[in-house]
Amino acid sequence: MGTLLSSHGFSLFLLWTFTLYGLCLSFSPIDNYLINSGASLDSVVDNRRFISDSSNSPDSHLSSGRTFSLCAGTLLPGLPQIYHTARVFNSPSKYVFNVKDPGTHMVRLHFHRFNSSRLDLGNSRFHVLVNGLVALTNFSGGDLVNPKVEIRFVPAKKSNFAFVNAIEVISAPKDLVLETAQYVNGDKIEEFQGLNKQAFETMYRVTVGGPKVTPFNDSLWRTWIPDDEYLKSSEGSNKVYFGGRIKYQDGGASREVGPDNVYDSARLIRSKNASIPNVNLTWEFPVSEDYKYLVRMHFCDIASISLGLLYFNVYVNEHLAYKDLDLSDVTNYMLASPFYADFVVDAGRSGVITVSVGPSSKSMGYTVDAILNGVEIMKMNNSVCSLDGKVPAELIMKCWPRRTLGILLPLIALACLLLSLSAIVHRRKSNAELFPWSKLPTDIHEISPKQAKLQLSNIVT
Ligand SMILES: *[C@@H]1O[C@H](CO)[C@@H](O)[C@H](O)[C@H]1NC(C)=O
Ligand SMILES: *[C@@H]1O[C@H](CO)[C@@H](O)[C@H](O)[C@H]1NC(C)=O
Ligand SMILES: *[C@@H]1O[C@H](CO)[C@@H](O)[C@H](O)[C@H]1NC(C)=O
Ligand SMILES: *[C@@H]1O[C@H](CO)[C@@H](O)[C@H](O)[C@H]1NC(C)=O
Ligand SMILES: *[C@@H]1O[C@H](CO)[C@@H](O)[C@H](O)[C@H]1NC(C)=O
Ligand SMILES: *[C@@H]1O[C@H](CO)[C@@H](O)[C@H](O)[C@H]1NC(C)=O
């Protein structure tokens, strides 16, 4: 996770801006809580101030029985200050954040298991519930409420403990998740309704053909890793980089959906003569089975010399998901204008999700015949509203101490999810017994891909 490391003097969200267009990188979340857990002082990362959660701080947001602060003691080279301290929880504990903007929220939890002389964080064992059981207090049947984001840390056993290094709770842009997506169900394409009521955990966030994009260059402080490791067929593939301006348009993919640095690079299939290459570009992503996934594919025609020349097919899990995609048409006839498509799929039989792009029957010679700029793969909550196993939050809370979970293997984990507070309200209305949360598309595991794989089953969110 060398991604929060940049410390240059450039703020992504200093301004409150009402500019609807232009080259403004700033996204200004209404709710923007950044917590430096276990630290006595605030800490600034990429010009974002993480506030100390110590009890004498008025903004600690922490309510808990038994906790203490832990300091790494030694220098952790290359890691921001927020990873040098942690708050350790000996009993179920929670942070609560009041929300002014009742929409989708993004939650990032930072974990770094350092070993201090006092305690080895590698020995921790815990559950984390985000709005797992009590998302709203004093909710009374649909009237205006004060929604909250509540993050609970639950040690797996009495003798265990939990910890966290830093927490972010940020209201997400309204256009980040739409209501529907195409459900690629075998060879059938169906409408998937209520997308914005689901919880999501990002498994992969990949920029195609370009270098890693760090939180510094992403308006939602995300990390996009390069695609090389996932590309299965490099035959016919060319990388392309675009030095011009990405033309964001109202109603299209916004800069918050994908930053310039993702859309300005791609891989493509190009025909140099009259014959169209008979190849696909294919990427493979290992995932855990038994879940549905949201596959968001990012496109931007940064390579065609003029409009109306690029037609291609998009496949998800080897099924035709988008036939004859015409980027000129979907972007109101503008080159270098971003577009994304959302597909819901079940994990493939082998625990792999594949995405491919390839020439279609409308593809032409002497032109670009397929392109992809970015992919995100997000795990969706299962029917017990879990992103990690079949134990619902109610049980975890009721039976503390209870379920044991694998410890986090790698040093740093970054769990990130989005929750929709409006979804919470809906659920509460319909069934007060059911627990009231729904997380929305997200990003998690913003670390190196190898570590991410190890972690899939190990992070509780
Ligand atoms: C953690 O530190 C203690 C003493 O500081 C040491 O005895 C122990 O072996 C360390 N554990 C790991 C996993 O490095
Ligand atoms: C519920 O609201 C009442 C009155 O507004 C307040 O006294 C009480 O503390 C609230 N309870 C919780 C759990 O927030
Ligand atoms: C941000 O993007 C610019 C332009 O693509 C690049 O030169 C710079 O290194 C990036 N900065 C960070 C911290 O990633
Ligand atoms: C077109 O170019 C490809 C390689 O770039 C070559 O294999 C193929 O034979 C060429 N086709 C024609 C009709 O020249
Ligand atoms: C491209 O992938 C699709 C889906 O897997 C497949 O049906 C098609 O035959 C592939 N095309 C080529 C040229 O391999
Ligand atoms: C995710 O949870 C919501 C309730 O919050 C539920 O309606 C939905 O069906 C769940 N998703 C899946 C794929 O089971």
Side-chain angles (χ1 to χ4, degrees):
M1 229 285 318
T3 53
L4 284 170
L5 305 188
S6 66
S7 54
H8 311 289
F10 179 84
S11 172
L12 290 172
F13 69 112
L14 264 186
L15 329 163
W16 256 108
T17 173
F18 297 98
T19 327
L20 290 174
Y21 46 83
L23 257 182
C24 182
L25 258 188
S26 310
F27 165 66
S28 306
I30 294 172
D31 295 309
N32 190 16
Y33 295 106
L34 308 176
I35 302 297
N36 189 11
S37 299
S40 51
L41 297 173
D42 299 352
S43 176
V44 176
V45 182
D46 282 345
N47 283 326
R48 308 171 72 209
R49 177 172 291 274
F50 286 74
I51 307 289
S52 156
D53 70 347
S54 66
S55 52
N56 50 13
S57 152
D59 298 316
S60 84
H61 299 284
L62 175 65
S63 51
S64 147
R66 294 184 292 138
T67 83
F68 58 91
S69 306
L70 192 68
C71 184
T74 53
L75 203 63
L76 309 168
L79 282 182
Q81 199 58 37
I82 51 171
Y83 294 115
H84 288 65
T85 57
R87 178 156 301 277
V88 178
F89 311 96
N90 284 319
S91 64
S93 307
K94 65 184 181 184
Y95 288 85
V96 180
F97 303 91
N98 291 317
V99 159
K100 291 191 214 76
D101 178 24
T104 300
H105 281 67
M106 204 160 43
V107 175
R108 287 198 186 103
L109 306 174
H110 300 255
F111 301 101
H112 172 52
R113 339 191 100 226
F114 58 73
N115 182 10
S116 79
S117 54
R118 199 169 152 205
L119 191 65
D120 184 356
L121 290 181
N123 293 330
S124 59
R125 230 162 230 270
F126 57 105
H127 318 288
V128 181
L129 308 179
V130 179
N131 282 2
L133 199 63
V134 189
L136 300 166
T137 52
N138 267 338
F139 184 67
S140 54
D143 296 337
L144 261 190
V145 293
N146 296 316
K148 290 180 171 68
V149 171
E150 186 177 282
I151 305 171
R152 284 178 185 260
F153 296 88
V154 185
K157 296 197 216 110
K158 280 250 155 60
S159 56
N160 289 138
F161 63 88
F163 80 96
V164 69
N165 298 85
I167 298 174
E168 302 176 40
V169 177
I170 304 167
S171 38
K174 303 298 172 214
D175 63 348
L176 202 58
V177 187
L178 303 180
E179 228 174 286
T180 61
Q182 300 301 307
Y183 178 36
V184 183
N185 184 8
D187 285 328
K188 290 197 301 281
I189 307 282
E190 296 159 6
E191 184 114 309
F192 188 96
Q193 300 278 355
L195 192 64
N196 53 358
K197 308 261 188 318
Q198 309 293 314
F200 299 88
E201 174 184 3
T202 300
M203 298 287 114
Y204 300 96
R205 173 166 287 131
V206 169
T207 177
V208 174
K212 181 173 176 178
V213 178
T214 67
F216 184 82
N217 275 326
D218 181 279
S219 37
L220 293 180
W221 308 283
R222 294 166 298 201
T223 301
W224 302 68
I225 56 175
D227 69 312
D228 307 70
E229 187 181 340
Y230 310 105
L231 182 66
K232 287 309 155 204
S233 59
S234 53
E235 196 193 349
S237 144
N238 304 288
K239 285 190 190 181
V240 58
Y241 171 76
F242 177 69
R245 180 174 153 198
I246 300 299
K247 299 185 190 76
Y248 291 93
Q249 299 186 67
D250 284 352
S254 66
R255 189 169 266 117
E256 282 71 49
V257 166
D260 301 62
N261 293 39
V262 168
Y263 287 118
D264 70 9
S265 71
R267 286 183 195 267
L268 49 79
I269 295 171
R270 194 194 289 276
S271 57
K272 301 199 174 73
N273 53 28
S275 74
I276 296 152
N278 189 25
V279 292
N280 286 332
L281 277 176
T282 299
W283 292 261
E284 273 181 23
F285 300 94
V287 293
S288 36
E289 294 169 57
D290 299 334
Y291 292 89
K292 284 187 162 50
Y293 292 83
L294 175 65
V295 176
R296 174 168 288 184
M297 298 175 73
H298 298 267
F299 305 98
C300 187
D301 188 356
I302 52 174
S304 293
I305 48 168
S306 82
L307 290 162
L309 296 178
L310 172 59
Y311 295 89
F312 60 104
N313 286 339
V314 176
Y315 307 92
V316 177
N317 280 353
E318 298 178 3
H319 301 294
L320 183 58
Y322 205 131
K323 189 174 186 309
D324 300 326
L325 174 55
D326 174 1
L327 287 183
S328 298
D329 183 50
V330 295
T331 58
N332 286 324
Y333 295 90
M334 191 178 283
L335 288 175
S337 182
F339 170 76
Y340 70 92
D342 282 346
F343 305 104
V344 172
V345 290
D346 297 290
R349 245 164 282 114
S350 46
V352 166
I353 288 180
T354 65
V355 302
S356 313
V357 292
S360 85
S361 55
K362 289 188 165 183
S363 293
M364 291 171 259
Y366 298 102
T367 63
V368 179
D369 291 320
I371 192 168
L372 185 68
N373 302 66
V375 196
E376 293 170 276
I377 310 271
M378 302 176 217
K379 194 196 235 179
M380 294 166 60
N381 67 272
N382 60 20
S383 52
V384 300
C385 226
S386 168
L387 288 161
D388 188 20
K390 302 210 159 89
V391 181
E394 289 127 310
L395 278 184
I396 289 181
M397 286 310 295
K398 210 185 272 170
C399 311
W400 186 77
R402 215 196 147 267
R403 183 185 172 210
T404 56
L405 288 154
I407 56 173
L408 302 172
L409 298 179
L411 277 183
I412 298 187
L414 182 52
C416 182
L417 20 122
L418 288 174
L419 13 147
S420 166
L421 294 180
S422 47
I424 292 163
V425 175
H426 288 304
R427 280 194 74 76
R428 266 292 165 101
K429 267 183 204 164
S430 56
N431 188 343
E433 291 304 302
L434 284 175
F435 51 107
W437 63 297
S438 180
K439 303 180 226 155
L440 277 196
T442 53
D443 60 319
I444 183 168
H445 310 320
E446 301 200 357
I447 49 179
S448 81
K450 279 197 203 81
Q451 289 178 320
K453 266 181 228 153
L454 285 175
Q455 271 187 305
L456 295 187
S457 55
N458 288 314
I459 285 199
V460 195
T461 47

